[in-house]
Amino acid sequence: MSAEKRARHLAFLLNKDTFQVAFVEFKGKVYYSHFPKASIAPSSAVVKLLQGLFDRHVDHSFFILRQRIFTTAPLSEMCKGMIKVVAKRASGDIIPERDSEFQESLEFIQIDSAAEALSNVSHLNAENKMSLAKLTEWLRSEKATTNEEFLKAAHALSMQVPRGEVLHDHDRNIAALLVSKDGEVLSYGVNSNSKNKTLHAEVNLIHRYYREHGGKIPSGSVLYSTHKPCKMCAGMIYEWMENSANIKVYYSVEESGGLSSQTVLDRLGLNQQLPS
């Protein structure tokens, strides 16, 4: 049986009419996640699958995610970015189709609740749990009003992340702030990716904003990040903007390597490096 026919049959076995499904097969097990089609959220079946695999199968996620991921939904900028950064390859728009020749016995492992739009991650560090009221008060003490001052404040926020001698065992000291056109702090995020590689500062910021406000990032908002958003973060920022022509992303540290080059924000001219 070809890989395409196999994927279609697995999609048929996992299909639910009102849900997208994403799945990956590894050593006789099929890990899968559903996303409600009616939901409008900074997520998808692919995003839930990737976040959930890191969260619940942290010791094996590296090996599982070397396999091709399949989804019945089209691959958005957000999905393609996250796959590029934390996985290997994926195929979208898989059409569920029964194959009578399929005789294998497989174990199916559901990664997350089908009804939830976002994955319920457990590796979010304490630095992401400050109230916005407390953060706003702190920013007032920092007297942040200009782009450079907000970036400086983001750097100060990032330094709250504890580091150790073995850097890969600790979260990176990266932070991001979302500020409205009127200077109101809308959300923030701090890197917490030492165990869950999807939990970059910008992803945490957007998911927090969604949980607290529900809507997309308002037009005229400015996102400040200490480091240039990678393809995953850029894709999620792009997908979750009310108006892609009316938002700006400022960062200070230019990341090396291909994962932060030629992002969707670069292509649209929506991000800009400022001196730190």
Side-chain angles (χ1 to χ4, degrees):
M1 181 183 294
S2 70
E4 183 177 348
K5 286 183 68 175
R6 185 180 186 87
R8 289 185 176 187
H9 183 75
L10 291 176
F12 168 80
L13 295 177
L14 295 167
N15 188 50
K16 291 185 177 184
D17 288 341
T18 58
F19 292 87
Q20 304 171 3
V21 63
F23 57 92
V24 60
E25 186 178 359
F26 181 66
K27 290 188 174 181
K29 298 179 180 179
V30 179
Y31 302 87
Y32 69 94
S33 185
H34 286 99
F35 178 81
K37 291 179 180 178
S39 290
I40 300 174
S43 185
S44 67
V46 167
V47 171
K48 288 180 67 180
L49 178 67
L50 294 171
Q51 290 200 314
L53 279 169
F54 276 110
D55 204 67
R56 293 153 184 76
H57 300 275
V58 61
D59 293 333
H60 303 289
S61 57
F62 173 82
F63 304 101
I64 297 169
L65 292 176
R66 294 184 69 84
Q67 315 308 310
R68 181 174 292 273
I69 294 165
F70 296 94
T71 180
T72 55
L75 292 173
S76 66
E77 288 286 347
M78 174 177 58
C79 295
K80 289 186 285 188
M82 188 170 281
I83 290 161
K84 185 73 173 178
V85 173
V86 305
K88 290 293 181 183
R89 60 191 77 83
S91 296
D93 289 316
I94 299 299
I95 300 171
E97 186 176 86
R98 185 176 181 273
D99 192 315
S100 59
E101 297 178 3
F102 194 95
Q103 301 293 331
E104 288 183 54
S105 177
L106 298 171
E107 181 181 356
F108 290 86
I109 301 172
Q110 185 171 358
I111 292 301
D112 217 334
S113 168
E116 298 294 332
L118 299 188
S119 181
N120 292 308
V121 297
S122 61
H123 296 295
L124 203 62
N125 54 22
E127 290 73 32
N128 276 288
K129 298 175 182 179
M130 186 192 316
S131 71
L132 285 186
K134 184 175 180 180
L135 179 61
T136 299
E137 182 181 349
W138 174 73
L139 283 172
R140 286 200 188 104
S141 70
E142 293 287 308
K143 296 181 172 59
T145 56
T146 67
N147 291 328
E148 289 78 8
E149 288 167 346
F150 275 117
L151 262 181
K152 182 179 177 182
H155 275 284
L157 184 62
S158 75
M159 298 313 294
Q160 296 183 20
V161 180
R163 301 291 278 161
E165 291 184 7
V166 183
L167 297 184
H168 290 294
D169 290 343
H170 295 78
D171 302 319
R172 294 185 69 190
N173 52 347
I174 298 174
L177 292 170
L178 180 65
V179 180
S180 75
K181 61 182 180 181
D182 300 318
E184 176 190 0
V185 180
L186 301 176
S187 187
Y188 85 99
V190 175
N191 183 283
S192 54
N193 80 331
S194 59
K195 289 186 173 63
N196 190 326
K197 302 303 179 186
T198 69
L199 299 183
H200 287 197
E202 298 93 331
V203 171
N204 293 337
L205 177 153
I206 291 171
H207 281 185
R208 175 170 181 151
Y209 182 82
Y210 172 78
R211 287 189 169 101
E212 294 185 351
H213 299 277
K216 292 193 172 186
I217 296 173
S219 294
S221 299
V222 183
L223 193 151
Y224 302 92
S225 183
T226 56
H227 291 57
K228 184 182 181 184
C230 67
K231 285 182 167 68
M232 170 174 67
C233 298
M236 189 170 287
I237 292 167
Y238 170 76
E239 296 284 349
W240 205 241
M241 297 184 295
E242 277 185 356
N243 182 353
S244 62
N246 198 13
I247 188 174
K248 199 68 181 178
V249 178
Y250 293 107
Y251 64 93
S252 57
V253 178
E254 185 80 30
E255 291 275 18
S256 60
L259 295 181
S260 293
S261 64
Q262 295 300 308
T263 71
V264 63
L265 297 180
D266 290 329
R267 297 198 301 271
L268 296 174
L270 297 176
N271 56 352
Q272 180 180 339
Q273 186 179 20
L274 292 179
S276 55

